[in-house]
């Protein structure tokens, strides 16, 4: 009986340790610091299931927001943002949205392929399908299932960033 209890305790300890290691490995170490008011357009798109916006640097004092049907806008940084430091957009940029197959929370992924890890090689996001693919290695990822690889050589999901909410603002960090 003691052997069975000890074996069960060992298995449970191993399971908890494995889960915590796996979840931490999903998060990227690339610098990211971005926030926006998700109650205004186009940032409010992130609340729709299976809807995503893409954020990329656009020069030294601006960033670009892209969404469905190749729509985009450039946002100039405010004097306050410039004074306290420019936002960081991960390795290649950000993909922000609410996956349709997850728990309804907003997620943020790096726009770089986790297999290639090159800032100049941005994933191409296909909307409204919710896929992102890398032209270099051929890997394809399902954004609606947490960024898991569905084709190609990729062995891991997309890099994720932590998303916090403060009122209508979303804050993305690592």
């Amino acid at each position: 009986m003691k052997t069975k209890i000890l074996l069960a305790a060992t298995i449970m300890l191993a399971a908890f340790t494995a889960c915590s290691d796996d979840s931490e490995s999903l998060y990227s170490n690339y610098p990211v610091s971005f926030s926006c008011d998700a109650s205004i357009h186009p940032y409010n798109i992130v609340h729709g299931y299976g809807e995503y916006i893409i954020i990329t640097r656009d020069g030294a004092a601006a960033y670009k927001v892209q969404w469905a049907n190749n729509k985009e806008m450039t946002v100039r940084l405010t004097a306050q943002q410039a004074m306290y430091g420019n936002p960081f957009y991960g390795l290649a940029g950000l993909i922000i949205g609410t996956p349709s197959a997850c728990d309804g929370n907003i997620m943020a992924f790096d726009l770089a392929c986790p297999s290639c890890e090159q800032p100049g090689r941005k994933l191409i996001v296909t909307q409204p399908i919710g896929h992102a693919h890398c032209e270099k290695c051929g890997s394809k990822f399902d954004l609606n299932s947490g960024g898991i690889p569905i084709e190609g050589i990729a062995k891991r999901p997309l890099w994720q960033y932590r998303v916090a909410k403060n009122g209508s603002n979303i804050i993305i960090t690592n």
Side-chain angles (χ1 to χ4, degrees):
M1 183 69 166
K2 280 186 176 181
T3 306
K4 288 182 181 178
I5 292 173
L6 184 59
L7 180 62
T10 304
I11 291 171
M12 288 176 57
L13 180 62
F16 287 130
T17 304
C19 289
S20 65
D21 288 344
D22 288 345
S23 66
E24 282 302 311
S25 69
L26 293 175
Y27 292 103
S28 173
N29 289 325
Y30 293 109
V32 67
S33 173
F34 180 80
S35 63
C36 62
D37 183 347
S39 69
I40 60 174
H41 186 73
Y43 307 107
N44 63 349
I45 291 170
V46 303
H47 294 295
Y49 285 100
E51 300 286 332
Y52 300 92
I53 61 172
I54 299 164
I55 307 291
T56 54
R57 180 174 300 285
D58 189 15
Y63 63 89
K64 188 182 298 184
V65 182
Q66 297 171 298
W67 63 97
N69 300 322
N70 296 320
K71 295 179 183 174
E72 64 180 49
M73 71 179 212
T74 299
V75 178
R76 303 271 174 229
L77 297 179
T78 65
Q80 183 181 12
Q81 289 170 320
M83 183 175 13
Y84 292 110
N86 291 337
F88 294 102
Y89 310 100
L91 180 61
L94 301 170
I95 304 169
I96 308 167
T98 304
S100 60
C102 292
D103 60 6
N105 289 321
I106 296 170
M107 296 182 81
F109 304 103
D110 201 295
L111 192 56
C113 174
S115 295
C116 299
E117 288 195 86
Q118 296 178 1
R121 292 276 185 186
K122 295 175 175 45
L123 294 169
I124 297 169
V125 178
T126 307
Q127 299 206 54
I129 299 168
H131 289 166
H133 74 275
C134 176
E135 288 185 325
K136 181 180 179 193
C137 72
S139 295
K140 185 184 279 186
F141 304 88
D142 186 355
L143 299 173
N144 289 313
S145 295
I148 62 169
I150 53 176
E151 281 182 23
I153 65 168
K155 302 290 186 221
R156 64 165 328 287
L158 294 174
W159 292 113
Q160 289 184 31
Y161 295 107
R162 288 170 178 80
V163 179
K165 290 183 181 179
N166 183 6
S168 63
N169 292 321
I170 56 171
I171 303 145
I172 300 167
T173 60
N174 61 344

